[in-house]
Each structure stands twice: as C-alpha cells, then as structure tokens.
Amino acid sequence: QSALTQPASVSGSPGQSITISCTGTSSDVGNYNLVSWYQQHPGKAPKLMIYEDVRRPSGVSNRFSGSKSGVTASLTISGLQAEDEADYYCCSYAGVTIHVLFGGGTKLTVL
Amino acid sequence: QMQVVESGGDLVKPGESLRLSCAASGFTFIDYYMSWLRQTPGKGLECISYVGPSGNTIFYADSVKGRFTVSRDNTKNSLYLQMNSLRPEDTAVYFCARTRVRGNYFDPWGQGTQVTVSS
C-alpha cells in the first residue's frame, strides 16, 4: 500500500493561514477517524500536533487544527509564526495488517 | 515530563546485528504499547514494530519481519529492538515512541538513533 500523499512544500507569511493536505484511500484515511499529524524541526523528534482527525493534545497551540473530508485530511495553521517552520507529516491507521501509513512530509516555510 | 531516549545506533556491515534500546520515564510504562519507527530520506517514516504492555501483542512490518525482534522489560521501563541480518536499506534514524493503540498515534517520540549499514 502506498504512502499517503502530501504536497512537498507550502509557504506563508507571518500571520497568514496555511493548509496542508493529506490524501489517502477508502482503506485508510477514508475508513477510520484515525489521522494524526506530526511536526518535526530539523534534527529533532517528531511532535504530535493532531490525533483522531481533529483532536489537539494539551499544550499544542489552538492555531493548529485538523479536519477531514472523504479520503483527504487537512492540517490548518492559522496566525503563522516563524517557529512553525518545520516539516509536517500525516499518519493514518490502515488496518491490522499494515497498521499505519505516513505521508511523505510537507516542508512549511514561513516567509 | 514524559520522555523516551533511544541508544545503540552504530555503523555496521551488511549481515551484522545491532541492538537498540529505549529508556522511558515520566509515565507508567507498563500501561502502554510502545513502537519502533524509522525515518529515511528516501522512504520517509515507517512504523516497523510495536509491542503491547505485557509483551504478548507484537507487530512487525513486512520490511523487517523475520529479522528484527522487539521486546520490553517493564521492570526497567525499557524497550528493545534486536536487529539481525542488517541490510543497507535498513539505514535510517530509528525512533521509539509511546503508542496510543485506541487512537493509533505516537506521543512522545525520542530524538532518534542513527543506524548505518554499509560495507
């Protein structure tokens, strides 16, 4: 099964909003409410930003939100800040055999 | 503060073995599934194995099945990954992560440990 599809890069100016898409299939993203999103700064550990499609862990800024429509999940970051510049990865449960699939990652540049 | 810290990464030759360790703190280790994931520039992120709280529930990705063995020692709050018959394509940064099976997400992750397989 192929990885989830994310755009390679997105950019935005401070204060703006951006959305990163994550497209899967009816066997993964479209079949379970189990998409999670991770932020990774260079050389650092990935950090959970969204889980179960739309839930935000305590301590994560409410500028980060998740949504889903059909086989495409999205991460929206509002009020962009310089510290948001990082790589973002989506992940979806894909059944007991495969377990989870990750997207290829999206590099966010804050202009 | 919840934390996991990996160790054991190294440069090894194809066919050799390596054992990774992950020390957990700040949470009740025995209550959680734990996973090993790896990241490469070419293939991205991949969850290669997880183990349940008692060690009885285990998953391996096809890419490592039969070569890697996951284990845990709940008395030491530690997770392990025994990697045998290593191949160049196993070259990656290896992460351990606490795993929420109900929601199938990973939190927190460690900083990772580099494994390089090259002759």
Side-chain angles (χ1 to χ4, degrees):
Chain A
Q1 196 155 348
S2 301
L4 308 178
T5 301
Q6 298 181 234
S9 63
V10 298
S11 62
S13 299
Q16 289 186 331
S17 295
I18 63 94
T19 297
I20 299 171
S21 62
C22 170
T23 302
T25 70
S26 58
S27 297
D28 38 70
V29 174
N31 199 35
Y32 308 96
N33 295 325
L34 295 174
V35 172
S36 52
W37 289 89
Y38 302 89
Q39 175 193 65
Q40 186 179 31
H41 289 103
K44 301 295 187 181
K47 176 186 176 183
L48 178 70
M49 306 303 284
I50 296 289
Y51 66 100
E52 293 177 0
D53 290 358
V54 299
R55 297 181 183 272
R56 191 172 51 247
S58 61
V60 171
S61 170
N62 60 9
R63 298 186 297 105
F64 292 83
S65 62
S67 62
K68 192 175 76 175
S69 177
V71 298
T72 298
S74 299
L75 174 71
T76 298
I77 309 173
S78 58
L80 268 180
Q81 299 179 0
E83 69 213 46
D84 299 333
E85 186 163 291
D87 293 326
Y88 291 84
Y89 295 89
C90 63
C91 175
S92 175
Y93 183 66
V96 294
T97 302
I98 295 171
H99 183 216
V100 296
L101 291 171
F102 282 90
T106 298
K107 181 176 180 57
L108 169 62
T109 300
V110 180
L111 302 170
Chain B
Q1 179 186 356
M2 299 181 302
Q3 186 174 233
V4 293
V5 179
E6 307 91 340
S7 61
D10 204 349
L11 168 62
V12 297
K13 292 180 169 51
E16 293 187 340
S17 298
L18 200 59
R19 189 193 197 207
L20 304 183
S21 299
C22 169
S25 59
F27 61 95
T28 306
F29 185 72
I30 198 171
D31 286 348
Y32 291 92
Y33 280 65
M34 295 294 295
S35 296
W36 285 103
L37 305 98
R38 66 186 181 185
Q39 184 174 32
T40 64
K43 287 195 66 179
L45 281 163
E46 178 186 18
C47 179
I48 56 172
S49 182
Y50 67 69
V51 58
S54 65
N56 290 340
T57 301
I58 288 177
F59 163 87
Y60 295 107
D62 287 346
S63 56
V64 305
K65 199 174 296 183
R67 301 186 299 122
F68 290 12
T69 302
V70 66
S71 62
R72 63 190 293 163
D73 184 338
N74 290 335
T75 66
K76 296 181 178 178
N77 290 349
S78 293
L79 176 73
Y80 306 101
L81 186 68
Q82 177 66 42
M83 304 187 295
N84 298 332
S85 303
L86 281 161
R87 305 167 179 168
E89 55 263 37
D90 295 318
T91 295
V93 177
Y94 285 73
F95 297 96
C96 79
R98 189 181 72 166
T99 304
R100 301 304 298 266
V101 173
R102 180 184 171 96
N104 282 281
Y105 58 90
F106 309 99
D107 177 51
W109 301 52
Q111 294 278 79
T113 188
Q114 175 71 49
V115 173
T116 303
V117 185
S118 174
S119 53

